[in-house]
Amino acid sequence: MSKRRSYSKEFKLDVIQQSYQRDNIRELADELGIDPGLIYAWRSKYKQQPQQSFPGKGIPSRTPEKKELAELKKELADVRMERDILKKTMGIFTKKNG
């Protein structure tokens, strides 16, 4: 089984730049040892969101607002879990004492 390769942001940006300078992307891909479809995917992703493309380590591209929203959702889930635990605990203590 082959291991999934990862490429740095700098490498991807360099490949994108080279792909626009070359006529044949398949030759470029063969020289670099990567699939031509990968170059097209990188170009497309960079064209859609140049500032947020290729964040690294599988981290989804997020705007600061999306990051804050995700943090708040996680905090809300934690608070709800704590609340439910406290409700159950209060139910146990009131049954024993009452």
Side-chain angles (χ1 to χ4, degrees):
M1 228 158 93
S2 64
K3 205 174 187 184
R4 188 174 181 164
R5 293 175 55 185
S6 62
Y7 303 96
S8 69
K9 181 176 183 169
E10 292 78 21
F11 177 80
K12 292 176 184 179
L13 293 175
D14 185 48
V15 171
I16 291 169
Q17 183 181 18
Q18 288 182 45
S19 73
Y20 285 116
Q21 296 171 352
R22 303 275 293 262
D23 292 331
N24 193 335
I25 290 183
R26 181 170 292 285
E27 286 179 6
L28 175 62
D30 289 341
E31 288 173 16
L32 298 172
I34 60 176
D35 187 72
L38 198 54
I39 296 175
Y40 287 110
W42 291 346
R43 283 172 58 163
S44 175
K45 186 169 186 173
Y46 185 74
K47 189 175 184 180
Q48 290 174 2
Q49 296 180 334
Q51 300 299 324
Q52 296 169 347
S53 57
F54 318 125
K57 303 290 182 194
I59 301 168
S61 303
R62 292 191 200 172
T63 63
E65 293 83 15
K66 286 184 179 181
K67 285 181 185 178
E68 183 180 10
L69 181 61
E71 289 172 8
L72 290 172
K73 283 183 178 182
K74 183 181 180 333
E75 184 179 344
L76 178 60
D78 291 344
V79 168
R80 284 181 174 165
M81 184 178 66
E82 290 173 5
R83 179 203 60 197
D84 293 343
I85 291 170
L86 288 172
K87 279 184 180 180
K88 289 177 185 177
T89 305
M90 290 299 295
I92 291 170
F93 285 121
T94 56
K95 285 180 185 176
K96 286 184 179 179
N97 294 335

